[in-house]
Amino acid sequence: MRVVKIFAGVLGGIVLLSIVAAAVLVATFDPNRYKDYVTRWAEQRTGRELTIGSDLHLKLFPWLAVETGDIEIGNAQGFGEGPFATIERASAEVKLWPLLAKRVEVGKIDIQGLQLNLAVDASGRGNWEDLAARGPEPAPDAGGAQAGSSWLDTLDVAGVEVTDSSLRWSDATGLRYAIAVDEISSGPIRPGQPTPLHAALEVRDAAAGWAYSVGAETEATLADSGVELRDTSATIRSAGGTPQGTGRLTAALIAVAPDGTVRLGETRLEATLEPSAASTKKHDLAAGWSKAAYAPGAGTLEIDGLSTRIDGIDAAWQVDARGLPAAPELDGSVRIKAASAGAVLELLGLTPPAGVPPAELGTFDLAGDFRTALASSEPGADSGYAIKTLALEKIEGAWRGVKISGAGSLEGGNKLAARFEIPAFTADDTLRKIVAANLPDGMNAAALQRVALSGRVEADLDGGRFALADAQAELLGAKLTGSMEAVPQANGTLYRGALKTSRFAPDAFAAFLGKNLSEKIAPSELGTLSLDTRFSYDSGTDSATLEPLAFEAFGLSASGKLTAANVTGTPVLEGDAQLPTFSPRDLLRRFGQPAPETSDPKALQKAGIATHFRIDGGRGRFTNMTLALDDSRITGEFTVAGVRNPDYRFALAIDRIDADRYLPPPQSQAKAGQTTAGEIELPAEALSNLTLDGTLKVGQLKLANLDLAEVSTGIAVGNGEAHLSNAGAKLYGGRFDGAFDVKAAGKEPGLTLTGKAAGLDLAPLIAALTRSPANFSGKGDFDLRLAGKGATVIENVKTAGGHVTFSMKDGAIEGFNLGRTLCAVYNSTQKQPAPADQPKVTRYQVVSGAADVANGVASSSDLLARASFMDVTGKGRLELAAQRLDYSLEAKLTGKIGIAGCESMEPLIGESIPLTLRGTVTDPSISPDFSAIIQRRLKNEVKERLQDRLLKGILK
């Protein structure tokens, strides 16, 4: 369109010069006398200043010809002081005989060194438009009178040739295009008759830095109705710069009316761009339309049948424009049908993923309506127009079974808003290949079956703000919803949003993770998964936050919040986590592990965790920790350092716990095949792979059926050993302090127990230990130093060695009455009646002694027991594993037994009675041996009788 206007302007200038030359020749043979007249005549009819700097030279034969140079035509108002056009040399031929008949028949017009300066101001007005609007006035006759007909009616030019010339095109932003004219030539120019035209040009884009040479051929018809170009063809070749290429333009009709209206018939432009630094591929381009019309007065443009082709990608357009040129508004649509997806990637400089040939990508369809409003940009801008509004509506596309629809708009050139929807589809093999190429290694794209996606996008292109809202997706059988926005800040960008999922089926999710899921975790163990959180990431501070955060995995539900610093480096994580009530037994079963054998089958049914945590460079610290386990509450803090060989530190407190619930049942309660407490193996592997150091406090503890209170101990585990140091507890009215050591690794595993107990109530203690009614009471003190060897608890008991001291006082022994037992046995030897029945209890004042322990047997040689009527001393042994007793005792009567019928033994006061103590701790059996006393008393009686007889014999 602009080229047509340029051509019209040049042609008008040439015609003006031809008329001027003819007038001079008619008026006088001395043309220089009429230079002023000619310039005034031109100024009156064009409104432009005309200056002819050189003399006019006249030739008469064979043609009347005038030649001059240094011609300058002034510019339109408002376009500066520079000239509209300058000509270095111009000549024109006029036939002589038609002049005598007062007709002007111009021969050849030759122009050299034309420089035409075309410009458009900020409002879109061109500096040639006043010439096109006014047109030249009729030529004067010899007497100075006006002829009655139009100047076009008598125009007859044999031809025009323009060489070594140039055209410069500028707008409000500065110089845009420069056209160097090697040659423009025409055949005879007569009103209403076709005129052949030939042009050889070079066009340069001053801004983009490219240049193209143009060779054009056409037939032009000049009339009052305007200019028509028919059968126009042009060959275009790059002349330097980028892009390099060639092209060809063909147009059936180009018509320019006097009011500037341009009509174009069937037109086709084909071009080839050669490979360059920006693109290594050769590109084939084409555009065409069936007809088009531009009306500058109305500012409208209509194009019918517009089509484009870029590297085999065909598009059909419908375009209507108005408000041209100052504030264009365009409406239309575009349709792309069965275009090659591989060709689009290649056009964009992209390559398909490995293993996906371009041909396998198939074709796609795309269609949409558009409307846009443009405004002239400010002076100095890169483009002549700025976008006020750009709207894309009814966008519909399809590719490999994937359909997309949506709409979008761009306001003010920077405010973007769009919505999109991809209905649910099933990915085919090619789509899965493409997805697989963009997934981390080991992930399985074949697991992606039904997929859907929709949402809204908003963006501030100048400010860099971006938002994704109302996002919804269907993936792996789950629904995902969320939003995200990017907010630029002084030192970076803040990304924030929300994400919520429904529950993912474990099979589909595990299949998608592929090799990234540990082989040790089966889908059934992974369980259903879900996530619900709000997130933010600040690129300036490299920090992120997830708050609130809720997720589900491994059959567990968790919630809390998380902050992360140094996200792109070595992250530092901190936050709170809550794990609501879950079943440890179910969790073990989920991982295919058997639940431990516990004496209480209801143990390990409930657990829950809440804690604050901080994870920094392989070190994790958990504080304000609360663990609920069945009926127990554990609080404190826990620290782990290292990954491969973690080191654990802790300080924990338990309100109350029945540890026996979590231990295997005692042998007396064990079912067939069950592991008993004594059969528990020392955990060699666990203690070898664990480094643990900390303190533990328990408010109330039940262990080995003992009730302990205010328990505290230090625990150290490592190198296959465990040490409980500074252990202390209150139990049964007294206190125990000591230490317990476990050596589980090595060739000689074993246990060591040291400690002191004081002020113990023996009855409840024994009842707890024996799990039966106590047969012993009183207050007791103990001092223990025991050590055993073996891989199980019972082996350590059987091999135990060490030393024990004990002291018990003011108690009773249930199961027998020592006084009555002695009396009954003694009376039977004396053939006397049995003593009266008595409760089976023996009260004592003190029981004490020491025992050396070897191979699981405690041997004592200084046993002392004192009752109200006797002292018992002796020695014996106790088998610790079987709790079997074997003691030999001496009971010395120190007073009356005090049982009716036992007066018979009073003569034995001061005597010692041998006793044997056998049986078990829970069922002891005591047997007195009166034979020695009886034998001694018989000897004494015989002796006394002999002494009596001897005395009687002497006295006689």
Side-chain angles (χ1 to χ4, degrees):
M1 181 176 65
R2 288 178 173 173
V3 173
V4 173
K5 288 188 175 183
I6 293 169
F7 175 78
V10 172
L11 187 61
I14 293 171
V15 171
L16 285 173
L17 293 175
S18 300
I19 294 173
V20 171
V24 172
L25 287 173
V26 172
T28 179
F29 289 103
D30 184 6
N32 291 294
R33 294 176 55 189
Y34 292 91
K35 284 174 62 176
D36 290 341
Y37 171 79
V38 171
T39 57
R40 286 195 307 271
W41 179 86
E43 290 172 6
Q44 290 173 358
R45 287 154 178 77
T46 65
R48 303 290 186 91
E49 182 180 357
L50 173 67
T51 302
I52 303 176
S54 299
D55 290 340
L56 278 70
H57 301 283
L58 189 65
K59 295 189 300 181
L60 297 178
F61 298 102
W63 290 74
L64 177 63
V66 64
E67 179 179 334
T68 187
D70 197 15
I71 300 172
E72 181 176 303
I73 301 174
N75 217 334
Q77 291 184 355
F79 287 89
E81 298 180 356
F84 172 73
T86 60
I87 301 174
E88 293 181 0
R89 189 186 72 82
S91 65
E93 297 176 345
V94 181
K95 291 183 179 181
L96 291 175
W97 291 112
L99 283 177
L100 298 177
K102 297 183 180 181
R103 292 196 334 270
V104 179
E105 294 185 16
V106 182
K108 180 181 179 182
I109 298 175
D110 187 359
I111 299 176
Q112 294 181 358
L114 168 67
Q115 181 171 321
L116 186 62
N117 299 308
L118 302 180
V120 177
D121 62 15
S123 65
R125 181 175 64 94
N127 65 345
W128 65 89
E129 292 183 4
D130 58 331
L131 296 176
R134 295 177 62 153
E137 296 291 339
D141 59 14
Q146 297 287 338
S149 60
S150 168
W151 66 279
L152 283 175
D153 292 340
T154 57
L155 178 64
D156 189 350
V157 180
V160 176
E161 183 172 359
V162 181
T163 58
D164 297 331
S165 299
S166 65
L167 181 149
R168 294 166 60 88
W169 174 279
S170 302
D171 59 19
T173 65
L175 177 64
R176 300 290 303 196
Y177 304 101
I179 300 177
V181 180
D182 290 339
E183 178 187 4
I184 296 178
S185 60
S186 74
I189 301 174
R190 296 182 180 88
Q193 297 185 16
T195 300
L197 291 178
H198 167 76
L201 314 171
E202 181 178 283
V203 182
R204 292 184 177 274
D205 187 323
W210 52 257
Y212 281 87
S213 62
V214 180
E217 302 287 343
T218 187
E219 282 191 352
T221 301
L222 183 64
D224 288 335
S225 60
V227 178
E228 287 187 358
L229 304 179
R230 292 186 177 274
D231 299 326
T232 301
S233 65
T235 302
I236 307 167
R237 297 182 181 276
S238 58
T242 56
Q244 299 288 321
T246 60
R248 180 167 181 79
L249 170 69
T250 59
L253 169 68
I254 303 175
V256 182
D259 62 356
T261 298
V262 180
R263 292 185 298 108
L264 296 99
E266 185 173 351
T267 303
R268 185 73 176 171
L269 171 63
E270 296 179 346
T272 299
L273 298 181
E274 301 297 333
S276 64
S279 174
T280 59
K281 184 185 180 300
K282 183 177 180 179
H283 297 288
D284 293 322
L285 312 176
W289 54 83
S290 58
K291 63 179 180 179
Y294 168 56
T300 60
L301 170 66
E302 296 179 0
I303 303 178
D304 292 339
L306 174 63
S307 63
T308 60
R309 169 174 287 186
I310 303 176
D311 292 345
I313 303 170
D314 293 324
W317 303 75
Q318 182 272 318
V319 179
D320 292 319
R322 55 191 177 277
L324 299 173
E329 295 182 9
L330 285 78
D331 294 333
S333 63
V334 60
R335 301 287 186 271
I336 299 175
K337 186 73 173 177
S340 168
V344 172
L345 288 182
E346 193 172 8
L347 178 64
L348 298 175
L350 304 175
T351 57
V356 183
E360 190 176 334
L361 295 176
T363 63
F364 70 93
D365 298 335
L366 183 64
D369 297 342
F370 63 86
R371 55 184 176 82
T372 183
L374 307 177
S376 298
S377 61
E378 297 295 328
D382 291 337
S383 174
Y385 294 100
I387 297 176
K388 292 173 57 179
T389 300
L390 172 62
L392 302 177
E393 300 172 343
K394 299 180 181 178
I395 298 175
E396 294 182 351
W399 174 60
R400 305 203 66 84
V402 181
K403 295 182 179 180
I404 183 171
S405 61
S409 64
L410 182 65
E411 299 289 341
N414 63 348
K415 303 298 183 185
L416 174 67
R419 59 175 177 81
F420 62 92
E421 181 178 3
I422 302 177
F425 66 93
T426 300
D428 61 13
D429 291 340
T430 299
L431 283 174
R432 293 193 189 104
K433 288 181 183 179
I434 295 172
V435 173
N438 293 279
L439 289 176
D441 291 341
M443 299 191 77
N444 180 19
L448 296 175
Q449 297 294 326
R450 186 178 175 86
V451 180
L453 185 65
S454 63
R456 293 187 300 107
V457 175
E458 296 179 355
D460 182 344
L461 302 183
D462 291 340
R465 189 183 184 100
F466 172 85
L468 172 64
D470 299 333
Q472 298 186 38
E474 181 178 341
L475 186 68
L476 299 174
K479 303 289 187 180
L480 289 77
T481 59
S483 62
M484 192 273 286
E485 66 173 334
V487 183
Q489 301 187 113
N491 58 346
T493 302
L494 175 64
Y495 302 89
R496 60 192 178 195
L499 175 63
K500 183 177 182 179
T501 73
S502 64
R503 304 178 76 194
F504 283 91
D507 291 341
F509 193 80
F512 179 65
L513 290 179
K515 295 181 180 179
N516 291 281
L517 181 65
S518 172
E519 296 179 353
K520 298 180 180 179
I521 302 178
S524 59
E525 298 168 351
L526 183 64
T528 55
L529 300 102
S530 66
L531 177 66
D532 186 358
T533 186
R534 296 194 65 84
F535 63 86
S536 67
Y537 170 69
D538 190 333
S539 64
T541 60
D542 196 24
S543 61
T545 300
L546 298 175
E547 182 182 6
L549 171 64
F551 63 91
E552 180 182 0
F554 302 109
L556 305 175
S557 297
S559 61
K561 65 179 181 179
L562 171 69
T563 61
N566 196 28
V567 173
T568 59
T570 301
V572 178
L573 307 178
E574 188 168 4
D576 297 312
Q578 295 86 38
L579 197 63
T581 301
F582 65 95
S583 170
R585 288 183 179 271
D586 291 345
L587 187 62
L588 289 170
R589 281 193 289 267
R590 177 178 294 277
F591 287 95
Q593 301 297 319
E597 295 181 356
T598 58
S599 59
D600 183 359
K602 296 182 179 179
L604 298 176
Q605 293 286 6
K606 297 187 301 180
I609 301 173
T611 185
H612 179 82
F613 62 87
R614 179 182 174 87
I615 301 173
D616 183 358
R619 177 183 177 88
R621 185 181 182 191
F622 301 83
T623 57
N624 297 330
M625 186 172 65
T626 299
L627 167 63
L629 179 61
D630 294 325
D631 298 326
S632 301
R633 185 173 182 268
I634 305 170
T635 59
E637 62 180 52
F638 190 86
T639 302
V640 56
V643 178
R644 293 187 177 181
N645 299 300
D647 185 352
Y648 299 96
R649 298 285 188 271
F650 65 91
L652 300 176
I654 306 176
D655 60 347
R656 63 181 182 275
I657 187 169
D658 183 352
D660 289 343
R661 296 180 62 192
Y662 305 96
L663 296 175
Q667 189 170 9
S668 61
Q669 301 177 6
K671 298 178 182 179
Q674 271 190 313
T675 302
T676 65
E679 294 172 338
I680 295 176
E681 293 188 1
L682 305 186
E685 182 178 355
L687 297 182
S688 298
N689 298 329
L690 190 64
T691 301
L692 190 66
D693 190 5
T695 61
L696 176 65
K697 294 181 179 181
V698 184
Q700 295 178 342
L701 170 66
K702 188 171 185 179
L703 179 64
N705 206 39
L706 299 176
D707 291 322
L708 297 88
E710 298 182 16
V711 180
S712 64
T713 184
I715 301 176
V717 176
N719 299 320
E721 298 181 2
H723 305 281
L724 276 65
S725 59
N726 299 320
K730 289 181 179 181
L731 67 163
Y732 302 103
R735 181 174 182 82
F736 174 83
D737 293 285
F740 183 67
D741 299 309
V742 179
K743 183 179 180 182
K747 295 181 179 180
E748 295 186 349
L751 302 174
T752 300
L753 174 63
T754 61
K756 291 183 179 182
L760 303 181
D761 288 330
L762 298 178
L765 175 64
I766 293 174
L769 288 171
T770 61
R771 300 177 186 271
S772 60
N775 63 346
F776 215 98
S777 64
K779 287 283 189 179
D781 299 333
F782 299 90
D783 192 342
L784 308 174
R785 294 193 304 278
L786 297 174
K789 295 180 181 179
T792 64
V793 173
I794 195 63
E795 288 177 0
N796 278 268
V797 174
K798 291 178 178 180
T799 61
H803 187 75
V804 178
T805 62
F806 57 91
S807 174
M808 298 171 287
K809 55 186 178 181
D810 301 330
I813 302 175
E814 302 285 345
F816 66 92
N817 188 306
L818 181 59
R820 188 186 184 286
T821 299
L822 293 176
C823 182
V825 173
Y826 180 74
N827 285 356
S828 67
T829 63
Q830 300 300 311
K831 301 186 184 306
Q832 294 186 21
D837 287 338
Q838 295 291 315
K840 293 182 179 182
V841 58
T842 301
R843 300 192 180 279
Y844 68 89
Q845 296 171 346
V846 65
V847 176
S848 64
D852 291 320
V853 182
N855 296 320
V857 178
S859 300
S860 177
S861 60
D862 60 351
L863 181 64
L864 170 63
R866 178 168 291 158
S868 61
F869 57 91
M870 72 169 49
D871 288 342
V872 179
T873 59
K875 61 182 179 179
R877 50 187 280 161
L878 169 64
E879 296 180 20
L880 299 179
Q883 297 185 339
R884 186 174 291 111
L885 299 167
D886 188 1
Y887 279 87
S888 297
L889 307 173
E890 290 286 335
K892 182 179 180 179
L893 290 176
T894 58
K896 297 178 180 181
I897 295 178
I899 298 174
C902 290
E903 296 84 355
S904 58
M905 289 190 64
E906 290 179 1
L908 299 181
I909 294 174
E911 295 281 350
S912 294
I913 304 171
L915 303 173
T916 58
L917 179 62
R918 291 184 174 87
T920 64
V921 172
T922 58
D923 188 17
S925 175
I926 189 166
S927 300
D929 184 3
F930 287 99
S931 60
I933 294 177
I934 294 173
Q935 290 176 3
R936 188 165 59 246
R937 290 188 63 82
L938 289 174
K939 288 180 181 180
N940 289 338
E941 289 179 0
V942 171
K943 184 178 179 180
E944 289 177 356
R945 290 176 181 176
L946 289 175
Q947 288 177 348
D948 289 343
R949 290 178 181 178
L950 288 175
L951 287 174
K952 289 179 179 180
I954 294 172
L955 293 176
K956 290 180 175 180

